[in-house]
Amino acid sequence: MKRKRMTPEERQEYEEQKARWAENDRKFRAMVARREARLREWDEYVARRKARLRRLTFGLLGR
């Protein structure tokens, strides 16, 4: 199947669309990275709380 050649206007429109796609991709990857960082911070916070509670509980029980 033979592809139709793009006109200069179509080529420019396509290049602009590619630029928009690249920008959307960059924004999406940044959003995912921020979400992963928040989840990692939350997991660390929960782990610290559990460890503290364990120390307090076993400390009170004399173990």
Side-chain angles (χ1 to χ4, degrees):
M1 185 170 139
K2 205 170 187 183
R3 287 187 0 180
K4 184 185 126 200
R5 295 257 239 192
M6 285 191 203
T7 65
E9 294 83 17
E10 290 172 331
R11 168 63 65 188
Q12 181 180 1
E13 187 178 321
Y14 177 68
E15 292 300 324
E16 290 169 357
Q17 180 65 45
K18 275 184 18 181
R20 286 191 297 272
W21 287 336
E23 178 67 15
N24 288 343
D25 185 59
R26 184 191 63 75
K27 287 179 181 178
F28 177 76
R29 290 178 188 274
M31 181 179 64
V32 169
R34 286 191 308 270
R35 180 177 181 270
E36 288 175 346
R38 280 196 317 270
L39 290 174
R40 188 171 41 254
E41 289 169 3
W42 178 256
D43 289 342
E44 291 168 359
Y45 168 74
V46 169
R48 285 193 309 270
R49 283 191 58 191
K50 283 182 179 179
R52 181 174 179 269
L53 184 59
R54 193 178 315 112
R55 282 194 311 271
L56 288 172
T57 302
F58 288 126
L60 293 174
L61 294 175
R63 293 181 187 198

